[in-house]
Amino acid sequence: SKRLEEIQEELKSFIAKQNRNGWKESETIKMITKIHKIGSGHKLNLPTLKRYLTDWLLSKKGKIAETSFDAYTSHISSIASVYGTIGEKQLCELTTDDLREIQRRLANGPNKGNTVNTKMVVLKSAIRRAYIEGLITRNIGLAVEPESEGDSTIKGAFTSDEIQKLIKVASRHWKGMILFGADTGLRLSNLANLKWKNINFEEGIIKLIVVKYDRSAKKTQRTVVYHLLSDTMRNYLEFIGIKKTGYVFTDVQPIGKSNRSQYFLSIMEKAGVSKTIEVDYLDEPIERTFHGTRHYYNSKMARNGVSQDVRKKYTAQKSDASNDIYTHIDKETILKELAKVPQTEYDWGVAQ
């Protein structure tokens, strides 16, 4: 039959190639799947990259911290948004070049080098697990080099007047995102995933576990960070209606990470707040994103006498000299220092 002839031709070509280049398990598995498709008309029921990443992510649920799982979900979602037809490939068909192509597509998007590398660490962890499980015969992620991180641009801070303008034109939940960013210095993703259980109204504090992957140490670091709940923040929460469970900013949380950044840029445009600013120490203007609220708050802490050690602990930053010192500062010291910082004023009674 025609199928038999096609299978014989494939086998003949495959054996000749293997004899020339050496027999490899990965090539043999690919040939078996190819023969099965020719003979039956459909692929072997082996996991595709898309299906495996979904299963791998679900296997993590309940085994790692909730914040880590949320971060993994975000990274896998970003990868899924760019892998295209590569996602439909069976694991045994994947090559190192396929992973490099995913990396290239991530790098061509809004992500900077360090963010691309974090996402690729997650992808390569899943690929390594597939190798350990015997689903692939070679760890194809090992040869993928990390992106250069020299492209991570300096971000500029906002002024108090600009914060007011941004809050004024923003929609209801984005008003809170901007206010909380200006009064806590939390990152966009941390605020988008803020839950009501993180807020203790009785003690007047917000408690978060900030998760960040340390590429130099090749491990995930978790830092417990405390934030004072200012009167303005409390008034805002009353303005939107206090809940007991779920996410605080429910209009923002479902938006994809890159789309959140784009949405904030549209708020800046609406408010007439420039996306770039000139600074004395650089020849080129620097861009401003939501991260500028973090710089705004850090500067506000410095201006109001909060010690450098507390600022480093509070923003989860580190330096070689003082890392050991600031990591041991206790909760009471941090909250006492943060009480020095004036809150952002906003009249929620007239908010639109």
Side-chain angles (χ1 to χ4, degrees):
S1 69
K2 186 176 179 180
R3 286 183 178 180
L4 179 60
E5 290 176 1
E6 190 177 350
I7 289 172
Q8 288 173 336
E9 283 297 317
E10 287 289 347
L11 280 172
K12 183 178 178 181
S13 174
F14 167 73
I15 292 170
K17 184 179 178 180
Q18 294 292 83
N19 283 333
R20 284 195 309 270
N21 302 330
W23 287 75
K24 297 178 181 177
E25 288 184 12
S26 58
E27 295 300 320
T28 302
I29 292 172
K30 288 178 185 178
M31 177 52 58
I32 292 171
T33 59
K34 194 170 187 179
I35 290 173
H36 179 87
K37 185 177 180 180
I38 294 171
S40 66
H42 57 81
K43 286 185 175 183
L44 275 172
N45 187 26
L46 296 175
T48 60
L49 176 63
K50 178 181 178 179
R51 189 176 111 198
Y52 184 77
L53 288 179
T54 301
D55 292 344
W56 177 81
L57 181 62
L58 289 174
S59 73
K60 297 289 183 183
K61 193 170 182 64
K63 296 180 181 178
I64 59 177
E66 186 178 1
T67 47
S68 296
F69 183 78
D70 289 343
Y72 278 23
T73 302
S74 175
H75 294 319
I76 293 297
S77 177
S78 295
I79 292 164
S81 71
V82 301
Y83 58 39
T85 56
I86 297 174
E88 301 302 327
K89 280 190 172 185
Q90 293 179 332
L91 288 182
C92 60
E93 299 175 312
L94 288 176
T95 66
T96 297
D97 284 341
D98 287 327
L99 300 191
R100 290 190 180 118
E101 176 60 18
I102 291 173
Q103 182 183 50
R104 184 190 68 78
R105 293 176 187 179
L106 287 171
N108 285 342
N111 302 298
K112 299 300 180 183
N114 57 345
T115 305
V116 171
N117 288 338
T118 300
K119 296 182 187 303
M120 289 302 296
V121 164
V122 174
L123 176 58
K124 289 195 282 187
S125 294
I127 293 297
R128 181 174 178 273
R129 173 50 54 183
Y131 169 68
I132 292 171
E133 292 173 350
L135 296 173
I136 52 178
T137 59
R138 187 168 62 89
N139 186 355
I140 57 175
L142 286 175
V144 180
E145 296 291 333
E147 286 280 307
S148 168
E149 298 189 5
D151 64 349
S152 296
T153 54
I154 299 172
K155 300 295 191 298
F158 296 108
T159 65
S160 297
D161 287 342
E162 287 172 333
I163 293 292
Q164 293 289 329
K165 289 178 181 179
L166 290 167
I167 293 175
K168 185 176 181 179
V169 303
S171 58
R172 189 177 66 149
H173 282 186
W174 275 101
K175 288 181 187 293
M177 290 282 292
I178 297 163
L179 171 68
F180 276 56
D183 272 7
T184 67
L186 280 169
R187 293 180 172 88
L188 177 58
S189 58
N190 293 136
L191 285 172
N193 292 311
L194 182 68
K195 295 183 177 181
W196 289 103
K197 69 178 183 180
N198 298 128
I199 304 173
N200 187 321
F201 287 94
E202 187 175 336
E203 291 187 25
I205 62 172
I206 303 169
K207 179 183 176 182
L208 276 181
I209 298 176
V210 177
V211 180
K212 192 171 184 180
Y213 185 78
D214 187 338
R215 283 170 293 280
S216 61
K218 294 185 177 180
K219 65 180 181 180
T220 299
Q221 294 187 340
R222 293 175 177 82
T223 306
V224 178
V225 182
Y226 297 95
H227 310 264
L228 284 175
L229 184 67
S230 68
D231 290 338
T232 310
M233 286 192 281
R234 187 187 292 268
N235 291 339
Y236 166 78
L237 295 175
E238 292 174 353
F239 167 70
I240 63 170
I242 295 172
K243 308 288 192 303
K244 291 185 177 180
T245 60
Y247 293 103
V248 175
F249 305 113
T250 52
D251 292 348
V252 181
Q253 198 280 329
I255 303 173
K257 188 174 180 180
S258 59
N259 290 334
R260 290 175 197 152
S261 299
Q262 291 301 316
Y263 198 100
F264 179 73
L265 290 178
S266 70
I267 295 173
M268 290 178 63
E269 186 174 354
K270 186 177 180 180
V273 174
S274 175
K275 295 178 183 179
T276 60
I277 56 170
E278 301 283 345
V279 292
D280 295 337
Y281 53 88
L282 290 175
D283 295 331
E284 299 292 331
I286 57 176
E287 66 177 16
R288 294 194 293 181
T289 64
F290 190 88
H291 204 77
T293 61
R294 183 171 172 82
H295 286 261
Y296 167 79
Y297 188 68
N298 196 44
S299 299
K300 189 161 64 168
M301 284 194 289
R303 289 195 304 270
N304 288 277
V306 177
S307 70
Q308 187 179 57
D309 289 337
V310 169
R311 297 202 310 270
K312 287 174 181 175
K313 172 67 176 177
Y314 187 72
T315 55
Q317 295 171 340
K318 64 181 182 179
S319 69
D320 293 339
S322 61
N323 186 42
D324 289 340
I325 299 173
Y326 71 74
T327 51
H328 296 291
I329 296 174
D330 59 40
K331 167 186 169 184
E332 288 71 26
T333 301
I334 292 173
L335 296 178
K336 183 178 178 181
E337 288 278 283
L338 294 180
K340 300 175 182 178
V341 186
Q343 62 183 322
T344 299
E345 299 294 340
Y346 200 83
D347 185 0
W348 297 108
V350 297
Q352 300 297 319

